[in-house]
Structures are given as C-alpha cells and as structure tokens.
Amino acid sequence: MNKVRKPAPQLEGLIPYDPKYLPAEAFLSANENPSDVDAEVRELIARAIAKVPFNRYPDPLANKLRDLIAEANGLDRGCVLLGNGGDELLFDLALAWGGPGRTFLNLPPTFSVYAANARLTNTTVVDVARRDDFSIDEEAVLARVAEGDIDFVIVTSPNNPTGEQARPEFIAKLLAATDALVMVDEAYFEFSRATVRPLLADHQNLVILRTFSKAFSLAGVRLGYILANPGVIDEFLKVRQPYSVDAVSQAIGEVVFENRARFEPGIRQIIEERGRVMEALRTTGGVTPFPSDSNWILFRMEDAGAAWEYLYEHGVLVRDFSSAPLLENCLRATIGTPEQNDLFIRTLRDFVAKRREAQAAQSLGA
Ligand code: PMP
C-alpha cells in the first residue's frame, strides 16, 4: 500500500532535536572541549582498536571500563552503567521511571532533551521554573515533591544552558524529602569540580549522570555513564539496548579513562579562560553574563538575535536561545581556545559598538 497509518500520537507536533550545527571558524555552540585527545593518547587508542575483534558482539556491559570507573569512584561494578552517550541513559531513565500515569519534575530552563524524552514516553511533565537569576526555586521544588506524585526529578549541576551548579545542601535535602528517583546530571562536573557522589552511600534514590563528551574530548565517540546503587542500575538494565556501547567505543573509553590525568591541564585552561571571557563580557556595554561553573557562559543582551547573526557572519558560532522560553535575548558561548575566545569577544564588541553608533546616528537624525 502506498500510504502509511499514523505513528504513535505522542509524536504529533514533536520536533526532532536539532543542535543547529553550522560550519564556523570558532565553533562555540556545543559545549565541546576545543582540544581533541593528544597525539600520544591517539596512538594508544589506535593500538587498542587494532586488537578489537569486529566480528564479535561487544561486552554488553563494557565491564572493563565499568570496573575502571567504579574503582576511581570508590564503588563496586554494580553501581556503574555505561551508555551510548549520556543521551541514551537519559532516555533509559524516562523509560524506566516514566510512562503513562507517571510524572517527571523538570526545572526549566534546562537541557531540552529531558522534557522531550518525557513526552515520547507519555510521561506527565511538571515544571518548577527557575528564578530570574536561574537559581533553583528550592522551596517550590520541595513543596512540589511533598505532594507525593513525582516519580523522577532531574537536577542539572552545572545547569545547561544557564551555567551554575545546584547547591549540594539542596540536593541532600531533596533526596531526604522524597522517594522519587533524583538524577543529578553532572555532565559538566569536571568544570565545577563538585560532585554529589558521596551522597550515594545513604540515598537509594540518587543517580548521577556523567559523560566522556566534554572534559574528555570524546563527543564524537558517544560514551556516558551513570553511578547509582545496584537496585537502580538493575532497573536501567531492563530497558537499555543490549549492545549500545560498541567495542570500539569501549576500547577508546578504556584508554582515555586510564589516561584521564592528561586531560587535566586542558580542563584547567578552560576554567581559566572562563574567568577571562566572563570579565570581558562583564565589561562589554549592554551585555549581562550569568555566573558559570561550566565550560560556557550564558549572556543576555539587547538584539541578541542580530548579535548571533553578526557573530556567525564573522566566523563565530554560538548557541542562540534568544527566542527560547525563559531565555529571552540570551546567547550561550562555549569556552574555546584562547584565540577563539579572543575572536568571539572582539566580534561581539564590534557588534555592540556598531549598534551604538547606529543608535547615536538615529537619535541625532530624530
Ligand atoms: N546532560 C547535559 C546537561 C548535556 O548538556 C548533555 C550534552 N549536550 C548531555 C547530558 C548528554 O551528553 P552526551 O550524550 O554527549 O554524553
């Protein structure tokens, strides 16, 4: 038959995730590490991949990598699960703790994938919006979970795209106040140097999400992991794709994790550059940057849409949130290399200066 019946009703009106990638000299839109893995690590990776049997299925659970991560975190293997990027594990979370008749508490503005996964799985989404400064409305969250119907919550720390980490005291209070599963998304924790991992010992309802995509320069490889108590991991095992983490990714992940200390200088440079870019934004007229514990800075300015265009025309791609709900006139710039950051700041300042000249000319003419 040359026609097809409709797909599942929850797909109606759903727009596929679009990272809005465009080629640019300074690619500052995806919160990636600006440096690739170094030549020596690349050589080790090449040797490891040469030994991977391609005709065999991979270890479904990536146990070698699982053990490395468990040991580094002072946990048992049963407390770790790898996924095809953090994204897969976020989807697994919605499959395992969401569904019809189930409720997810979201703290927007935050990573849009959470709500999209909820919608796909017919999970009800309850929003507790952040305050004007993007801090979490802690009292409102605690009051909402006290109603007892929330099945899972995601607290992103540091929060994408706003930048600041959640207060650890708040996360501890939230974990104690509810039996909902609380995911703390620590995709960027290497840049905040803060983790709630110690809370795993006393909280069955905590799951921590991490990724190799940011600090470890492996966005192209697709590796993420969760840390949780074994009872929670067992539920994720029921919904995950059996072979989602391929053998090549496992081999790469093992080499990178064993050599993770080599990424430390790069992380330090990103943190230093973040301070420099923050100061430059603070001293650029009409631009209001929001504090960041991560590898990007969100900022608000008039005519943000026009600023985005101007930056792009001059080789700088940042992420445009200017018409996103709760993020009016906001742009997000990933911290790049010092040269990329210079180009970004110089171009943004050019835009501001040109706009002021145009306004001055207009008011003289009026
Ligand atoms: N959580 C947050 C907050 C993110 O920003 C991202 C990446 N954009 C992820 C999770 C998932 O990252 P990945 O799938 O690359 O591991």
Side-chain angles (χ1 to χ4, degrees):
M1 200 170 281
N2 196 19
K3 68 177 197 178
V4 60
R5 65 177 62 189
K6 285 192 169 186
Q10 68 269 28
L11 267 61
E12 179 119 15
L14 223 148
I15 300 162
Y17 183 78
D18 176 8
K20 302 197 170 63
Y21 292 165
L22 295 164
E25 185 185 334
F27 193 84
L28 305 179
S29 82
N31 298 342
E32 297 147 328
N33 195 317
S35 311
D36 204 339
V37 293
D38 68 36
E40 266 177 66
V41 174
R42 211 167 243 279
E43 180 55 37
L44 294 171
I45 287 172
R47 270 188 247 155
I49 292 176
K51 290 191 214 139
V52 171
F54 293 148
N55 62 323
R56 301 288 176 204
Y57 283 100
D59 173 349
L61 293 175
N63 277 322
K64 189 163 172 221
L65 185 51
R66 218 179 167 199
D67 285 343
L68 291 172
I69 293 169
E71 195 192 339
N73 286 281
L75 298 168
D76 295 332
R77 173 193 281 189
C79 299
V80 181
L81 182 65
L82 272 296
N84 189 273
D87 282 344
E88 185 198 11
L89 296 158
L90 287 170
F91 192 63
D92 289 348
L93 169 69
L95 284 176
W97 259 264
R102 311 270 298 180
T103 306
F104 159 53
L105 180 61
N106 198 28
L107 311 180
T110 189
F111 191 33
S112 61
V113 165
Y114 309 150
N117 287 341
R119 216 172 139 185
L120 264 180
T121 52
N122 283 311
T123 309
T124 301
V125 181
V126 169
D127 284 334
V128 172
R130 287 163 184 267
R131 297 200 179 90
D132 286 347
D133 64 356
F134 299 130
S135 62
I136 295 171
D137 189 340
E138 298 178 359
E139 292 75 35
V141 171
L142 292 168
R144 191 60 191 77
V145 297
E147 291 181 35
D149 61 331
I150 301 297
D151 296 295
F152 68 104
V153 190
I154 304 179
V155 181
T156 319
S157 186
N159 184 48
N160 181 15
T162 60
E164 266 192 295
Q165 52 184 314
R167 291 190 324 116
E169 300 80 5
F170 163 68
I171 293 172
K173 222 186 225 182
L174 177 62
L175 286 165
T178 178
D179 65 353
L181 184 65
V182 177
M183 173 176 275
V184 179
D185 183 343
E186 293 188 343
Y188 302 92
F189 92 107
E190 290 91 348
F191 306 106
S192 64
R193 311 271 195 204
T195 175
V196 294
R197 189 197 57 210
L199 298 178
L200 277 173
D202 293 320
H203 298 284
Q204 293 293 327
N205 56 338
L206 171 62
V207 54
I208 297 171
L209 181 72
R210 305 247 183 97
T211 181
F212 282 70
S213 297
K214 315 296 178 180
F216 296 138
S217 304
L218 290 187
V221 173
R222 313 308 300 132
L223 270 176
Y225 62 95
I226 52 172
L227 306 177
N229 284 290
V232 169
I233 299 285
D234 288 349
E235 302 304 325
F236 274 74
L237 290 177
K238 294 178 189 170
V239 297
R240 74 183 290 271
Q241 295 286 312
Y243 299 111
S244 62
V245 184
D246 65 85
V248 173
S249 297
Q250 292 185 29
I252 297 172
E254 287 160 20
V255 172
V256 164
F257 200 78
E258 279 174 332
N259 289 278
R260 61 191 178 284
R262 300 175 68 106
F263 293 79
E264 189 51 36
I267 295 169
R268 224 174 295 136
Q269 185 182 51
I270 289 169
I271 293 171
E272 275 167 27
E273 282 290 297
R274 179 179 75 202
R276 193 173 72 86
V277 174
M278 179 64 79
E279 197 44 38
L281 289 173
R282 273 204 194 106
T283 52
T284 301
V287 173
T288 308
F290 293 93
S292 174
D293 300 306
S294 196
N295 67 336
W296 71 80
I297 296 175
L298 185 80
F299 56 99
R300 181 167 267 151
M301 63 188 291
E302 263 180 48
D303 279 349
W308 183 91
E309 294 275 350
Y310 187 88
L311 285 163
Y312 185 63
E313 279 162 17
H314 292 81
V316 183
L317 183 71
V318 298
R319 189 71 188 259
D320 184 5
F321 287 101
S322 60
S323 42
L326 308 170
L327 293 166
E328 295 74 28
N329 272 329
C330 285
L331 302 178
R332 186 194 68 194
T334 303
I335 303 301
T337 61
E339 298 72 30
Q340 291 171 335
N341 300 333
D342 285 343
L343 177 65
F344 160 58
I345 292 294
R346 202 165 57 237
T347 313
L348 187 71
R349 286 185 166 169
D350 277 353
F351 172 81
V352 170
K354 287 209 168 105
R355 195 170 162 274
R356 292 212 161 158
E357 276 166 29
Q359 280 170 339
Q362 221 173 27
S363 63
L364 275 178

